[in-house]
Amino acid sequence: MAWAVCLSGVWAVAVHAQAIDQTAQSAVYVLRGSMRLQSDSSHHEMLRALRELEDPRLGPLFGQLAESSHPVLQIHGLLGLARCGGGKQLDLVRVAAIQDPAIQAETISLAMDEEVLTLKQAQQLVEWPQVDAGVKVLVATKLIKAGKFNQLDLLHTALKSDNLARRGLAAMQLVQLGETGRLQLLERLNESDDPKRDAVRQMLLETMVRYGFDRAAPWAVSVCKQRGVDWRLDLMALRAALKLNHPAAVGLWRQRFNGSSDTAGRLRLALLALDLANHLNPKFFNTLMNDDDPLIERIGRAGYAVAANDNVDMAVIRLIEMHHPMANRWVLSFARDHATLDQARVLLLGLIMSFEDVPLAQRERAVPEVVGAARVLCDRDPVGVSLLRPILADPDADPLLLRCILVGLIHSPVPDQPQAVEGIGPFASSDVSNLAVVWLAKCGQPLTDPQREQLKLLVRGGGGLGGPLRLQAAWAYLNLTEQTQPAMASALAQ
């Protein structure tokens, strides 16, 4: 009887595979390609694009990846299952079954980054015997921040590990939990001749900043004061000391800034201060506001405005007018993570609208921030698409600007208001028109016969869409033609 069931399953897959049209078969080809390792590592971008969809119908695909023998595909599968499931949380049973501690740790670390590991799950992980001790120490970081960790023996044992990163992380966690004498262990790390020393120190400083481990701030200051430290590590340590309000941090920053004649170095320090403006006193920025360099002066004024929460829009818009990629990267980050909704609307539209004033030779460098601005605007604002309609409807708009906006829209959630996407186009540029069709199809808008043929061509590989965009087009086409289920069965039957 079992063999009959198996044969019936195979027959069902075969029927599904035959039931789809030629364009859907091309979509299957694209889906299968996303599930294979590529020599140029493009599979990462493809699978991230699939995870972004957060579509429960992709569950079988991610489930198959989660069973892969290759760690990279396995991790993408586990994270994809977490994103497309209703609860947005990791499957702990699958994680606990992973035999390789390094893969367990990488999966958990990424799950924490993507916020698909809940506090309850973190508590479960530190109690399960089948979970590697190193993974438990990693998870303890999340619990310590939440004030939910009390298994000190786990960290005391980790201090005896041969693994430098595990020892360092455990020492820092114990410091945060009140065992200040453990700072000596971190100080010893500064003098270590282990080749992994700086990589471990970077990891610890990043963890300090992310989880607010302020009791370890004296160690960050000691890294700043150590001679011969790589400038990147020094900047990271200074960031941690400033953000965690160590009394010596402001003096160290001023010493660095006032003592430097290197334009690039002074700019890095100015941007560091700007990035921490929410945590600094407005007076901190007086030094920058009085600087002779116009860019640094505007960074200072933007930092002051954010720190004082006064006239933020105007000060940041004036910074955007400088068209500096690193400054605009900060604007995007600030609008995404810290600005009020009203501020975000002004700043993100400012980033987008300023694109046409960017000198032609610099426009390609400005593309990522404009794409990001369109995406963040729609992520944060239910009416974000409506705010972009005047640009999309402008027949004189720069085609590159339109492409940037549409790529951002394609990678953002489908808008809540279907009417916001009605009547977009037509566009003179074929590249813009192609992206618009993908976006309209993703939004579930009815397509005209020519648009439908255009979408088919894109799914089949015409139009020059890059991998992730072609993948979005393929999934939109399968949705539009109600072929997701047979196409998925065909993609998995390889």
Side-chain angles (χ1 to χ4, degrees):
M1 191 65 168
W3 62 268
V5 173
C6 290
L7 285 178
S8 67
V10 171
W11 173 249
V13 168
V15 169
H16 283 315
Q18 293 171 3
I20 61 178
D21 64 34
Q22 186 177 0
T23 303
Q25 290 172 25
S26 294
V28 167
Y29 172 81
V30 176
L31 284 171
R32 284 179 176 170
S34 73
M35 299 171 68
R36 298 191 186 103
L37 296 173
Q38 305 296 331
S39 59
D40 61 357
S41 297
S42 59
H43 52 274
H44 289 298
E45 205 174 352
M46 295 283 279
L47 289 169
R48 276 194 294 268
L50 280 181
R51 297 211 310 264
E52 283 172 6
L53 293 170
E54 296 186 355
D55 192 326
R57 289 170 295 182
L58 287 166
L61 182 149
F62 287 121
Q64 184 161 308
L65 289 175
E67 299 298 325
S68 171
S69 59
H70 196 285
V72 169
L73 297 179
Q74 187 177 22
I75 291 171
H76 273 294
L78 290 166
L79 295 175
L81 284 173
R83 291 285 293 272
C84 71
K88 278 198 180 181
Q89 59 184 31
L90 205 58
D91 185 336
L92 293 192
V93 175
R94 289 179 185 265
V95 173
I98 297 174
Q99 299 297 313
D100 187 333
I103 301 173
Q104 264 193 354
E106 180 71 9
T107 304
I108 292 297
S109 178
L110 290 170
M112 290 167 66
D113 289 344
E114 297 193 13
E115 299 183 351
V116 292
L117 183 76
T118 67
L119 273 176
K120 183 178 179 180
Q121 287 184 314
Q123 288 172 323
Q124 287 178 302
L125 281 171
V126 296
E127 293 168 0
W128 283 4
Q130 61 266 54
V131 174
D132 179 71
V135 174
K136 292 182 180 182
V137 172
L138 181 67
V139 171
T141 307
K142 183 179 181 76
L143 295 171
I144 290 168
K145 180 182 180 182
K148 302 286 186 181
F149 184 79
N150 56 11
Q151 298 189 37
L152 296 181
D153 287 349
L154 172 65
L155 303 184
H156 291 151
T157 301
L159 292 178
K160 303 170 187 176
S161 169
D162 293 333
N163 185 298
L164 187 65
R166 190 181 306 179
R167 289 203 312 272
L169 184 56
M172 189 173 71
Q173 291 168 330
L174 287 167
V175 169
Q176 187 63 22
L177 289 168
E179 295 189 13
T180 52
R182 304 296 182 179
L183 269 171
Q184 295 176 358
L185 299 178
L186 293 174
E187 301 287 355
R188 287 180 206 161
L189 178 60
N190 293 343
E191 306 303 326
S192 169
D193 58 1
D194 191 303
K196 296 180 181 177
R197 180 194 66 174
D198 282 359
V200 170
R201 291 199 291 182
Q202 178 179 332
M203 178 273 291
L204 294 178
L205 289 165
E206 289 173 347
T207 303
M208 284 175 60
V209 170
R210 179 176 177 185
Y211 291 95
F213 285 1
D214 55 331
R215 291 181 178 177
W219 170 67
V221 170
S222 73
V223 174
C224 288
K225 291 181 176 179
Q226 187 178 18
R227 288 189 177 183
V229 173
D230 179 82
W231 68 266
R232 298 171 192 83
L233 189 64
D234 179 72
L235 206 63
M236 194 172 296
L238 186 55
R239 172 188 295 276
L242 278 169
K243 184 169 183 181
L244 300 173
N245 299 313
H246 191 280
V250 172
L252 283 168
W253 182 90
R254 286 200 174 120
Q255 183 183 46
R256 298 280 196 286
F257 186 81
N258 293 329
S260 175
S261 58
D262 174 44
T263 302
R266 295 173 81 249
L267 179 58
R268 283 194 293 266
L269 287 163
L271 289 167
L272 169 61
L274 179 61
D275 198 38
L276 299 175
N278 286 348
H279 305 275
L280 297 173
N281 188 302
K283 293 179 181 178
F284 178 96
F285 292 94
N286 289 341
T287 301
L288 299 176
M289 289 193 293
N290 293 321
D291 199 85
D292 293 335
D293 185 312
L295 176 59
I296 289 179
E297 182 261 340
R298 292 202 189 186
I299 287 173
R301 295 196 180 280
Y304 182 94
V306 172
N309 194 24
D310 180 42
N311 205 21
V312 174
D313 296 354
M314 181 62 69
V316 177
I317 288 293
R318 292 209 67 211
L319 179 58
I320 291 172
E321 290 170 355
M322 299 298 289
H323 306 305
H324 193 278
M326 291 175 68
N328 283 351
R329 207 168 301 145
W330 170 79
V331 175
L332 182 60
S333 173
F334 174 74
R336 182 186 62 233
D337 299 329
H338 301 295
T340 65
L341 182 55
D342 285 342
Q343 289 172 344
R345 285 172 179 156
V346 172
L347 301 183
L348 293 168
L349 282 173
L351 266 179
I352 293 167
M353 298 293 289
S354 72
F355 182 78
E356 291 188 318
D357 296 326
V358 176
L360 290 175
Q362 299 177 24
R363 287 197 177 179
E364 285 297 333
R365 294 174 62 198
V367 163
E369 281 65 55
V370 179
V371 171
R375 180 174 181 172
V376 172
L377 181 62
C378 294
D379 283 348
R380 287 208 59 183
D381 192 350
V383 298
V385 175
S386 298
L387 297 176
L388 294 171
R389 278 188 68 92
I391 306 174
L392 293 170
D394 182 358
D396 298 321
D398 184 333
L400 181 56
L401 173 60
L402 294 176
R403 291 208 304 271
C404 291
I405 291 173
L406 286 164
V407 170
L409 291 175
I410 288 169
H411 286 292
S412 64
V414 173
D416 293 334
Q417 302 170 310
Q419 66 272 21
V421 301
E422 291 175 358
I424 295 296
F427 299 99
S429 164
S430 60
D431 289 346
V432 175
S433 180
N434 288 340
L435 291 170
V437 165
V438 175
W439 181 52
L440 292 171
K442 181 178 177 179
C443 293
Q445 289 294 298
L447 300 183
T448 63
D449 288 342
Q451 286 175 326
R452 204 178 182 93
E453 292 304 312
Q454 189 177 0
L455 180 62
K456 287 181 178 180
L457 178 64
L458 295 172
V459 176
R460 292 174 187 168
L465 289 185
L469 289 171
R470 186 182 174 194
L471 186 60
Q472 293 269 6
W475 192 249
Y477 177 79
L478 293 175
N479 279 325
L480 186 70
T481 57
E482 299 182 349
Q483 296 183 88
T484 53
Q485 186 174 350
M488 181 63 69
S490 181
L492 298 180
Q494 46 182 319

